[in-house]
């Protein structure tokens, strides 16, 4: 993620309405990859699985609401466009998604029909109004408690929760995000314990590690390299003294 895009994501403009789906380029790609990887998991035979995307750009609440609305608008638009598609009348968005799953995830053209069916199945299960969520500490009596769920209720969804979670301190300070596959975060912090906690967003999952995508800035990547070196040195010292 470029520094310019990071600044844009940290201070997004207020959406002008339900048709405002303008997002920074890499965040838009991240949302597309969330759909594609959900479909691939279906092809891989996963049943009743949790599938999550995380968006962390700021600790301030207002930007989360703006991003939530714009991501909902984009998901609603893409879902409607893709599900209305048919073999006889392909939309430009079908071609866009097809090119992406072939180039980004190495899905061969011979698997197009299976991938298309899996995409439609995943999108049918995904409701942007309830599955794109702002995860914040909301004061009692806030309208937001009525408008939408503001927690990740994995245990309450028998078929597995599919969710795009946008949040700040709650997400960065230890909340478990089950089935985390796509991460987009641009909020910079050089605090060691925060970096260590956020590093779990880059974790390896043995069953679908090749689907993981983490989009962040070069500065944050360098800080993760630093905290990795510090932890490795500490572990080495412990083993040596033991």
């Amino acid at each position: 993620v470029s520094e310019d895009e990071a600044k844009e994501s940290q201070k997004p403009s207020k959406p002008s309405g339900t048709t405002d789906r303008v997002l920074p380029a890499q965040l838009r790609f991240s949302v597309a990859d969330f759909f594609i990887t959900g479909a691939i998991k279906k092809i891989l035979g996963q049943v009743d699985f949790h599938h999550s995307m995380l968006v962390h750009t700021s600790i301030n609440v207002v930007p989360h609401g703006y991003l939530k609305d714009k991501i909902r608008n984009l998901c609603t638009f893409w879902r409607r466009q893709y599900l209305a598609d048919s073999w006889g009348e392909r939309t430009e968005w079908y071609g866009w998604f097809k090119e992406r799953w072939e180039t980004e995830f190495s899905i061969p053209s011979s698997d197009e029909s299976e991938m298309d069916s899996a995409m439609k199945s995943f999108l049918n299960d995904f409701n942007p109004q309830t599955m794109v969520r702002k995860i914040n500490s909301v004061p009692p009596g806030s309208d937001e408690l009525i408008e939408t769920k503001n927690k990740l209720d994995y245990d309450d969804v028998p078929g597995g929760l599919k969710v795009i979670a946008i949040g700040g301190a709650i997400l960065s300070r230890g909340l478990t995000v089950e089935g985390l596959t796509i991460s987009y975060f641009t909020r910079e912090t050089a605090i060691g314990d925060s970096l260590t906690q956020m590093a779990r967003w880059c974790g390896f999952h043995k069953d679908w590690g090749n689907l993981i995508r983490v989009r962040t800035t070069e500065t944050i990547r360098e800080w993760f390299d630093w905290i990795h070196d510090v932890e490795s040195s500490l572990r080495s010292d412990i083993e040596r003294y033991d």
Side-chain angles (χ1 to χ4, degrees):
V1 178
S2 69
E3 296 298 330
D4 287 342
E5 175 168 330
K7 293 177 181 177
E8 180 185 356
S9 70
Q10 291 160 8
K11 295 183 178 180
S13 61
K14 183 178 180 179
S16 58
T18 57
T19 60
D20 186 349
R21 52 182 184 272
V22 178
L23 290 170
Q26 294 302 320
L27 179 53
R28 188 169 64 252
F29 287 139
S30 294
V31 175
D33 292 348
F34 169 76
F35 290 145
I36 292 172
T37 52
I40 293 175
K41 287 182 182 181
K42 283 181 172 287
I43 292 176
L44 294 175
Q46 293 203 27
V47 180
D48 298 339
F49 60 93
H50 299 310
H51 183 63
S52 302
M53 171 179 165
L54 178 148
V55 180
H56 179 70
T57 61
S58 171
I59 60 173
N60 298 317
V61 174
V62 173
H64 304 159
Y66 292 168
L67 286 177
K68 178 203 68 177
D69 291 341
K70 290 189 176 188
I71 292 174
R72 277 186 180 174
N73 294 344
L74 180 64
C75 290
T76 299
F77 174 77
W78 275 348
R79 183 175 185 271
R80 183 171 61 247
Q81 290 286 313
Y82 199 100
L83 292 179
D85 195 277
S86 66
W87 280 108
E89 188 176 350
R90 290 299 192 191
T91 66
E92 62 175 313
W93 285 108
Y94 176 85
W96 187 83
F97 274 101
K98 178 176 180 294
E99 181 180 6
R100 183 145 193 88
W101 74 54
E102 288 179 344
T103 57
E104 181 71 20
F105 296 95
S106 302
I107 302 297
S109 57
S110 58
D111 291 345
E112 177 181 354
S113 178
E114 184 179 29
M115 187 65 192
D116 180 49
S117 296
M119 281 284 289
K120 284 185 166 68
S121 176
F122 183 84
L123 288 169
N124 268 316
D125 294 339
F126 188 81
N127 181 353
Q129 298 307 309
T130 59
M131 297 179 179
V132 178
R133 301 183 185 179
K134 183 177 70 171
I135 308 300
N136 292 120
S137 298
V138 182
S142 169
D143 290 340
E144 186 66 25
L145 288 174
I146 300 173
E147 177 187 339
T148 183
K149 294 182 178 179
N150 71 320
K151 64 178 182 177
L152 297 177
D153 49 350
Y154 291 104
D155 294 336
D156 299 334
V157 184
L161 180 63
K162 281 64 176 179
V163 64
I164 298 177
I166 305 108
I170 289 180
L171 286 178
S172 67
R173 301 299 293 185
L175 183 69
T176 298
V177 184
E178 299 285 352
L180 180 59
T181 307
I182 308 296
S183 296
Y184 179 94
F185 59 102
T186 58
R187 200 264 293 191
E188 297 182 351
T189 175
I191 301 174
D193 63 336
S194 294
L195 284 170
T196 301
Q197 288 170 323
M198 289 191 291
R200 72 190 193 284
W201 300 340
C202 312
F204 175 75
H205 300 264
K206 63 178 181 179
D207 295 328
W208 29 271
N210 61 329
L211 302 183
I212 300 296
R213 295 294 184 275
V214 180
R215 292 186 174 87
T216 189
T217 66
E218 181 64 23
T219 298
I220 294 175
R221 188 196 66 79
E222 290 174 355
W223 284 344
F224 276 132
D225 286 344
W226 170 76
I227 199 68
H228 174 268
D229 291 342
V230 170
E231 182 176 325
S232 298
S233 177
L234 178 60
R235 290 178 181 275
S236 177
D237 286 345
I238 291 173
E239 291 178 1
R240 178 160 58 89
Y241 289 123
D242 185 61

